[in-house]
Amino acid sequence: MNVILVAVIALGLLGLILAAVLYLIAKKFAVEEDPRIAQVAEVLPQANCGGCGYPGCQGFAEACVKASAEGSLDGRACPVGGKAVMDKVSEILGLASTDAEQKVAVVRCQGSCAHRPRTAEYVGVKNCHVANATSGGETGCFFGCLGLGECVAACSFGALHMNPETGLPEVDESKCTACGQCVKACPRKIIELRPMGKKGRRMSVLCVNKEKGAVARKACDIACIGCGKCQKVCEFEAITLENNLAYIDPAKCRLCRKCEDACPQHSIVAMNFPPRKPKAEEPAKPAEPEVKKAPEAAAPVEAPAPEPVPVAPVKEAAPKQEAQS
Amino acid sequence: MKTFRIGGVHPEENKLSAGKKIEVMELPRQAVFPLSQHIGAPAVPCVAKGDVVKVGTKIADAGGFVSAPIHSSVSGKVLKIDTAIDASGYRKPVIVIDVDGDKWEPSIDRSEDIVRETSLEPKEIVARIQECGIVGMGGACFPCHVKLSPRTPVDVVIINAVECEPYLTADHSLMLEKPEQILIGVQLIMKAVNVQKAFIAIENNKPDAIALMKEKTAAFPGIEVCPLKVKYPQGGEKQLIDAVVNRQVPNPPALPADVGAIVQNVGTAYAIYEAVMKNKPLFERVVTVTGKSVANPMNLLTRMGTPMSQLIERAGGMPEDTGKIIGGGPMMGKALLTAEVPVCKGSSGILLMTEKEAGRGEEMPCIRCSKCVSACPMGLEPYLLAKQSERSMWDEAEVNEIMTCIECGSCQFTCPSNRPLLDWIRQGKGTVGGIIRARAAKK
Amino acid sequence: MSPHVHGGDSVKRNMRWVIAAMMPALLWSFYSFGLGAVVVTLTSVVSCVVFEWVINKFILRNPRNTIADLSAVVTGLLLAFNLPSNLPLYIIIVGALFAIGVGKMTFGGLGNNPFNPALVGRVFLLISFPVKMTSWPVPHQMSAYTDAVTAATPLADLGNANLADLFFGNIGGSMGEVSALLLLAGFLILLCSKVISWHIPISIFVSAFCFSVLFYAIRGGMPFADICMLSLKHLCAGGIMLGAIFMATDYVTSPMTHKGMLIYGVLIGFLVICIRLFGNYPEGMSFAILIMNAFVPLINNACKPKRFAKEVKK
């Protein structure tokens, strides 16, 4: 009995002393934390999915607070909570709500095998950056998708996949959160985040080739050749032409689809419009460019050639956009 | 027998065209001159469409101090200033000239006489070299006049005649045919940088060249032939200095001149001779056309701007089993997108690899055998750098000195798992280099 | 992308040479231990290969199976080398499963395992079946494999063992470790085919010898010549030869630089002598190597290769 008693007392005492030590140390070495981090974390879904690109909701909260010092939450968004959550976060951090239009990744290349003949074979690491640094790629187009799928690997939402037939990445718009990972991942800057547009309807120039017309056409039969026809036909000055490449400013585009008809190369593609027959023109809706980028959507990084976004494209007139590469 | 101290490999030499006489390549119908034939700023065209040029006429000015002018290798009319695929695999600005006859600038001395004496001062020699657009002919194409204007005094000149790349024999054949001209060129380099001592480094797989050069150097005080053990990458500037004079050049920004040495390629020495003594700008060079299934591997004295397809034709045509066309040697050369790429100042060879040779072995997991570590001539850990590059661990890669990699390919050559080590390291070097530059720009 | 040529070396080539280097000792074990050795070897190799194939195919779902690289064969052979030739088959199969399944494939397969798979299997068996694993048949019994006469390891009574017997392999023990001479022949084969460098084995031999001399000297009571003799016997007896030449030099689990290899070898030599002289087990090579395997990443970080122009000034 005595032995038991001694043991209990000794262990109990030991526990008490250690608890006290722990407490004191915790006090002494407590890490000062911005209280707003906890507040922000509170409104987050606490799903810890990592979809925002940060290690869990706590990590995201820290990143938001840090970003608020610079006055903007651009580039940070919670894919699970969506705009509602981000509005709350902005409120906590005293920032204007980042109300922006939903964006989506657009792969600006349509150079599938059919359109863009292969002229060489690349042997080397199957990595877009490495291939891009090595040479112009397997086709005559030195601007287009390389098809090695780095964008697909970069997407945390499974919104991108390579189409084995075209050798191009395709965006699943329902999954894309416009997080911009794919844009960063593409060494050729083929992927652009563009405003989703009403009902997903939008116009894009799906080409980034800056060569002169003849050279571009030789490399790819649906390359933008910089002819400027779209620019002439656009009534809203939404199309600019630079470096032999047209670009459609989504802010100015009214979705009239005239440029699509004007484009001799079919480089301008209208997406998500109902089949052409019914009406040539949809009610114009100004797309707003910009603003918040929700953390979703990844687009492929460097992709091989052609074909950009596959969302049931129907043609309409749209302004072209210029690709940068 | 001397050699460098760290690492190295010994690829099969395959010097198929060794000992073949240098033949003169016929003129092309159209010559194409890329504006970036050297390291540094691209040249700026100084002719316009329709201008008539002669052989040796300057067609582009240097774009800065680290740059070199370009001279026409043909006479004819400037057809256009356009873009074309060059050896980089991308479309780059070029000047295209339609060839019409072979009229030379009258200032060029076309006689065969060997001129031995010059009254030019060191500065004038360097100026002449700069004016003639001479760059390092070993492949890196560093403008020659920059190297000959060292910021610190140097005490030794090393002439790089090791030609450690398999297959290539351009330097070898040049030594056999123009030994005296080369030695006069070396003398000019020595005079330009005020050095009394020069070594001509030749690997001992070229005994005929060693013997001939030894015999000829007797008449040239201060120049000595230095035979070296065959080991790749002995032609690397740092490795060569280590092998010949036992000095190791520290990492950048240090230059070879900081340890008192200047390295010039043997082809460059010949070009310097022609520039200074014959007033002939750099517009032709010896190019090796070779490959296991090439009918007649040969060394061709070729005008710049000639499409490589023409040289291949001369050597017996493109073999049917060609899998890859490589500009340069198999270790560091670059696979070309098309055979229409023009010969440039740095084109030491054209290598046609068969389909069988061109493929890479199947990539296997790294078994950490450390063979790459033993092979690396810079004492790096290629397996680690490649992994870090693959995983975008740029800071770690920088700490492990990825930037000192000379891209010799020894690691990949030696890897039993066929891993694309150099592909990744090159990628990492590019990215880390960008990060370092951005950091420097911020400061 | 350059380089466009390759040296022609391959994982397979290295593995083939390792197998070739093991042949002398393997044949000797067939000769000494008869049929039992053949059965044990076959079981071990076949089960290692089968487990690797099964795990690749059904668990990892690797599109490309990796048994063709022969690494599983090497693991199987090494495991067999470490077993007595009269071990029941089921134990061998369990050992192979553990070696390949836990020692290798859990970490991602070839190249990723921190510990030598064959040793992991062996130590697992040693701890699980201590008696069966440490009763070795006496050589040249030539009888059917389960009823051989068994004997303790010569390590238990090293003082009375004959050095020549130890060296030529005229003793009992695990299948592969009995003949020091033939293992050294394997070492020569590995060196000549440039599969391994000399650093690890030699540093283990030297360090084991030195520490053994040192410890016996401290203990005292023996003339120096006897101490040296005893230390030599240590080298030739038990698993030091086998471990130093074939197990410690495993690419995946050994350091990358020569300096690191020397440190690694010296510490293995130290550990094995410590375990033999002061530990409970008469044999310590497997443990010594496994312990040092754990330190390899540290050694790799600490021992960078000699960088160009870093140590040599002018």
Side-chain angles (χ1 to χ4, degrees):
Chain A
M1 198 57 199
N2 207 10
V3 174
I4 294 175
L5 211 59
V6 169
V8 167
I9 291 172
L11 284 176
L13 267 181
L14 197 62
L16 271 180
I17 293 169
L18 290 178
V21 171
L22 271 181
Y23 173 77
L24 287 175
I25 290 179
K27 267 280 181 230
K28 172 124 174 116
F29 294 102
V31 179
E32 285 293 328
E33 195 185 53
D34 191 324
R36 291 180 303 170
I37 293 178
Q39 291 170 3
V40 172
E42 189 97 340
V43 299
L44 294 175
Q46 291 301 340
N48 289 322
C49 64
C52 50
Y54 294 91
C57 293
Q58 182 71 21
F60 181 63
E62 279 164 26
C64 286
V65 171
K66 205 168 157 199
S68 70
E70 281 145 32
S72 155
L73 286 180
D74 273 1
R76 288 173 188 79
C78 173
V80 177
K83 189 166 176 325
V85 162
M86 286 317 290
D87 284 349
K88 281 191 214 155
V89 172
S90 313
E91 201 179 307
I92 293 168
L93 299 176
L95 297 172
S97 160
T98 55
D99 79 304
E101 208 206 354
Q102 175 76 34
K103 288 186 162 192
V104 68
V106 175
V107 183
R108 294 177 297 176
C109 179
Q110 303 188 86
S112 61
C113 309
H115 292 301
R116 201 169 55 155
R118 294 290 185 268
T119 55
E121 189 189 353
Y122 169 74
V123 277
V125 172
K126 295 280 175 266
N127 173 285
C128 302
H129 280 92
V130 175
N132 186 44
T134 307
S135 75
E138 298 189 318
T139 72
C141 174
F142 297 164
F143 296 87
C145 180
L146 294 155
L148 300 172
E150 218 164 296
C151 48
V152 176
C155 183
S156 337
F157 304 95
L160 273 163
H161 63 273
M162 295 300 298
N163 181 327
E165 261 170 47
T166 58
L168 295 170
E170 296 184 349
V171 180
D172 180 341
E173 294 188 3
S174 61
K175 290 185 184 162
C176 177
T177 61
C179 67
Q181 286 305 321
C182 51
V183 177
K184 281 186 214 145
C186 180
R188 294 191 158 176
K189 308 246 186 310
I190 291 167
I191 300 175
E192 188 195 14
L193 291 181
R194 290 181 68 86
M196 187 69 136
K198 203 183 254 175
K199 293 187 194 159
R201 289 173 190 168
R202 60 201 130 84
M203 306 296 301
S204 296
V205 179
L206 299 182
C207 181
V208 291
N209 191 319
K210 291 178 184 164
E211 300 286 0
K212 284 183 195 158
V215 177
R217 183 153 37 193
K218 196 174 165 205
C220 175
D221 62 16
I222 50 174
C224 171
I225 51 173
C227 64
K229 282 184 183 155
C230 50
Q231 193 178 19
K232 278 180 209 122
V233 84
C234 182
E235 293 162 11
F236 312 102
E237 295 182 337
I239 301 181
T240 49
L241 195 60
E242 206 178 318
N243 295 327
N244 305 313
L245 189 61
Y247 179 83
I248 300 175
D249 182 348
K252 292 182 186 157
C253 174
R254 299 295 179 96
L255 304 183
C256 67
R257 296 179 75 173
K258 280 186 188 150
C259 51
E260 181 189 3
D261 299 335
C263 181
Q265 290 293 97
H266 306 302
S267 322
I268 298 182
V269 172
M271 292 183 224
N272 296 337
F273 285 86
R276 205 65 197 281
K277 277 274 147 98
K279 245 197 261 173
E281 254 146 85
E282 291 284 321
K285 148 224 165 178
E288 311 231 309
E290 199 33 42
V291 188
K292 121 196 219 176
K293 88 264 268 187
E296 10 190 341
V301 175
E302 104 181 65
E307 255 195 288
V309 170
V311 170
V314 179
K315 297 183 161 188
E316 290 210 352
K320 291 182 171 185
Q321 71 191 29
E322 117 187 343
Q324 38 192 339
S325 99
Chain B
M1 186 76 59
K2 285 179 170 179
T3 188
F4 57 97
R5 277 171 281 182
I6 304 177
V9 293
H10 189 178
E12 222 178 308
E13 287 161 26
N14 285 323
K15 304 268 189 191
L16 306 172
S17 48
K20 297 253 176 95
K21 278 243 170 278
I22 299 176
E23 294 178 36
V24 178
M25 183 67 203
E26 54 270 21
L27 291 176
R29 268 182 303 134
Q30 199 174 61
V32 179
F33 300 90
L35 294 175
S36 288
Q37 301 199 10
H38 44 262
I39 288 182
V44 183
C46 59
V47 288
K49 184 174 170 177
D51 284 4
V52 173
V53 296
K54 292 181 182 161
V55 175
T57 309
K58 185 155 79 173
I59 53 175
D61 280 317
F65 179 65
V66 183
S67 182
I70 296 168
H71 300 79
S72 174
S73 64
V74 293
S75 59
K77 207 183 240 180
V78 177
L79 177 70
K80 57 186 174 178
I81 298 175
D82 195 9
T83 61
I85 299 172
D86 74 356
S88 72
Y90 278 97
R91 223 167 253 286
K92 294 284 172 63
V94 296
I95 298 173
V96 184
I97 296 177
D98 263 339
V99 180
D100 175 23
D102 193 20
K103 293 186 277 295
W104 288 46
E105 287 281 348
S107 59
I108 301 172
D109 173 2
R110 296 185 67 182
S111 69
E112 287 294 314
D113 313 334
I114 296 176
V115 187
R116 294 171 194 280
E117 296 300 327
T118 177
S119 55
L120 293 177
E121 292 298 311
K123 282 216 172 108
E124 292 168 326
I125 295 178
V126 177
R128 179 74 65 85
I129 289 170
Q130 179 169 13
E131 197 41 43
C132 287
I134 293 176
V135 301
M137 313 257 290
C141 304
F142 193 79
C144 202
H145 63 273
V146 182
K147 263 196 195 173
L148 295 181
S149 318
R151 44 187 185 187
T152 49
V154 295
D155 59 0
V156 62
V157 168
I158 299 170
I159 299 302
N160 183 350
V162 299
E163 207 160 44
C164 61
E165 277 272 5
Y167 289 96
L168 302 188
T169 57
D171 292 350
H172 185 183
S173 56
L174 191 65
M175 277 190 285
L176 292 180
E177 296 190 24
K178 314 272 183 191
E180 283 196 66
Q181 289 90 325
I182 291 170
L183 289 169
I184 296 167
V186 178
Q187 265 188 331
L188 290 170
I189 298 172
M190 291 161 69
K191 188 171 178 190
V193 290
N194 191 24
V195 164
Q196 310 308 321
K197 186 81 207 154
F199 291 100
I200 300 181
I202 310 176
E203 283 190 343
N204 65 354
N205 57 357
K206 299 179 259 295
D208 48 350
I210 294 176
L212 182 64
M213 291 310 270
K214 270 196 173 147
E215 181 196 323
K216 298 284 181 187
T217 46
F220 293 84
I223 305 183
E224 196 183 305
V225 175
C226 177
L228 296 172
K229 198 174 137 192
V230 180
K231 191 157 92 171
Y232 178 88
Q234 196 134 246
E237 199 170 50
K238 291 182 168 187
Q239 277 66 35
L240 190 64
I241 296 172
D242 187 25
V244 175
V245 291
N246 213 24
R247 300 175 194 170
Q248 294 198 334
V249 184
N251 293 344
L255 295 172
D258 294 339
V259 296
I262 281 187
V263 178
Q264 289 291 355
N265 185 272
V266 65
T268 319
Y270 180 66
I272 287 173
Y273 162 78
E274 292 209 308
V276 177
M277 300 304 200
K278 302 275 196 176
N279 206 14
K280 181 176 156 194
L282 178 56
F283 59 73
E284 59 184 5
R285 67 160 298 147
V286 180
V287 181
T288 302
V289 185
T290 185
K292 288 207 174 131
S293 30
V294 171
N296 304 304
M298 49 172 55
N299 304 301
L300 290 165
L301 181 65
T302 311
R303 303 280 176 93
M304 307 281 169
T306 310
M308 292 192 175
S309 53
Q310 208 171 324
L311 279 76
I312 297 170
E313 216 44 60
R314 171 75 182 263
M318 182 95 69
E320 269 181 22
D321 61 350
T322 301
K324 222 192 269 198
I325 309 168
I326 293 163
M331 292 299 284
M332 289 191 72
K334 219 168 150 32
L336 302 175
L337 279 181
T338 122
E340 297 311 309
V341 170
V343 168
C344 292
K345 292 176 179 176
S347 311
S348 47
I350 303 167
L351 169 59
L352 301 175
M353 296 194 98
T354 62
E355 262 167 54
K356 215 169 119 211
E357 294 170 290
R360 280 192 182 177
E362 190 187 12
E363 186 185 335
M364 310 257 297
C366 170
I367 54 167
R368 308 172 59 78
C369 63
S370 81
K371 287 187 177 168
C372 54
V373 179
S374 307
C376 179
M378 298 303 289
L380 303 174
E381 297 150 288
Y383 76 101
L384 188 65
L385 296 175
K387 257 291 178 279
Q388 286 171 337
S389 180
E390 192 175 344
R391 306 206 173 148
S392 307
M393 297 162 71
W394 310 124
D395 294 348
E396 289 86 345
E398 192 187 342
V399 170
N400 285 307
E401 306 192 31
I402 193 170
M403 293 309 288
T404 61
C405 168
I406 57 169
E407 303 182 22
C408 66
S410 298
C411 48
Q412 195 163 328
F413 174 83
T414 198
C415 180
S417 284
N418 283 312
R419 297 187 67 75
L421 297 169
L422 186 54
D423 293 6
W424 282 117
I425 293 175
R426 224 184 256 124
Q427 169 67 15
K429 257 185 93 174
T431 314
V432 172
I435 293 172
I436 293 174
R437 275 194 299 279
R439 202 188 298 143
K442 241 185 205 170
K443 277 181 191 158
Chain C
M1 283 243 214
S2 60
H4 303 284
V5 286
H6 189 268
D9 198 0
S10 72
V11 175
K12 224 172 174 168
R13 186 198 79 101
N14 284 299
M15 295 295 173
R16 274 202 202 111
W17 276 111
V18 173
I19 294 172
M22 285 193 285
M23 279 307 142
L26 184 68
L27 293 178
W28 177 257
S29 74
F30 289 170
Y31 169 69
S32 309
F33 300 121
L35 187 62
V38 180
V39 174
V40 170
T41 310
L42 276 182
T43 316
S44 170
V45 170
V46 169
S47 45
C48 277
V49 172
V50 167
F51 285 131
E52 170 140 339
W53 186 83
V54 167
I55 292 173
N56 257 321
K57 176 104 184 168
F58 296 105
I59 302 184
L60 297 181
R61 309 246 161 96
N62 270 353
R64 198 195 52 181
N65 224 310
T66 53
I67 49 170
D69 63 27
L70 297 184
S71 63
V73 176
V74 170
T75 303
L77 276 176
L78 280 177
L79 181 64
F81 268 31
N82 274 301
L83 304 174
S85 60
N86 59 343
L87 206 61
L89 288 187
Y90 75 93
I91 294 187
I92 301 172
I93 294 174
V94 169
L97 176 61
F98 202 83
I100 294 292
V102 177
K104 185 173 173 193
M105 304 312 283
T106 15
F107 296 101
L110 182 65
N112 298 317
N113 46 308
F115 300 104
N116 187 322
L119 280 180
V120 170
R122 194 259 161 136
V123 165
F124 171 75
L125 293 183
L126 185 63
I127 295 171
S128 314
F129 308 95
V131 177
K132 290 218 165 69
M133 284 292 290
T134 50
S135 22
W136 289 279
V138 171
H140 307 302
Q141 291 289 319
M142 291 295 195
S143 49
Y145 99 106
T146 41
D147 51 79
V149 180
T150 60
T153 167
L155 276 174
D157 187 18
L158 209 50
N160 293 325
N162 179 333
L163 181 62
D165 279 351
L166 290 174
F167 190 70
F168 292 113
N170 206 6
I171 44 163
S174 294
M175 282 176 40
E177 66 189 23
V178 288
S179 171
L181 177 68
L182 295 175
L183 287 169
L184 284 175
F187 182 34
L188 264 183
I189 295 178
L190 289 182
L191 276 186
C192 295
S193 58
K194 295 197 174 151
V195 172
I196 61 171
S197 66
W198 57 269
H199 299 79
I200 294 178
I202 298 297
S203 62
I204 294 180
F205 296 152
V206 171
S207 127
F209 182 76
C210 292
F211 281 111
S212 160
V213 169
L214 183 70
F215 290 145
Y216 279 120
I218 291 172
R219 199 182 274 178
M222 261 193 289
F224 189 68
D226 283 3
I227 293 181
C228 290
M229 198 60 188
L230 201 56
S231 302
L232 264 186
K233 286 181 190 168
H234 261 296
L235 286 194
C236 297
I240 288 193
M241 282 284 167
L242 174 64
I245 294 167
F246 289 107
M247 321 273 258
T249 54
D250 172 28
Y251 282 150
V252 183
T253 55
S254 62
M256 302 295 282
T257 60
H258 290 167
K259 205 162 79 188
M261 288 176 186
L262 291 178
I263 296 177
Y264 171 81
V266 166
L267 288 175
I268 288 180
F270 170 72
L271 281 175
V272 68
I273 293 300
C274 281
I275 297 174
R276 282 188 179 185
L277 297 189
F278 309 123
N280 275 338
Y281 283 95
E283 173 60 297
M285 199 56 192
S286 314
F287 295 107
I289 295 175
L290 284 180
I291 291 169
M292 287 315 296
N293 281 169
F295 285 95
V296 164
L298 268 179
I299 296 176
N300 276 341
N301 269 349
C303 299
K304 294 291 175 187
K306 186 159 78 182
R307 309 278 197 219
F308 190 85
K310 270 296 150 64
E311 319 218 337
V312 203
K313 286 270 141 96
K314 282 219 158 182

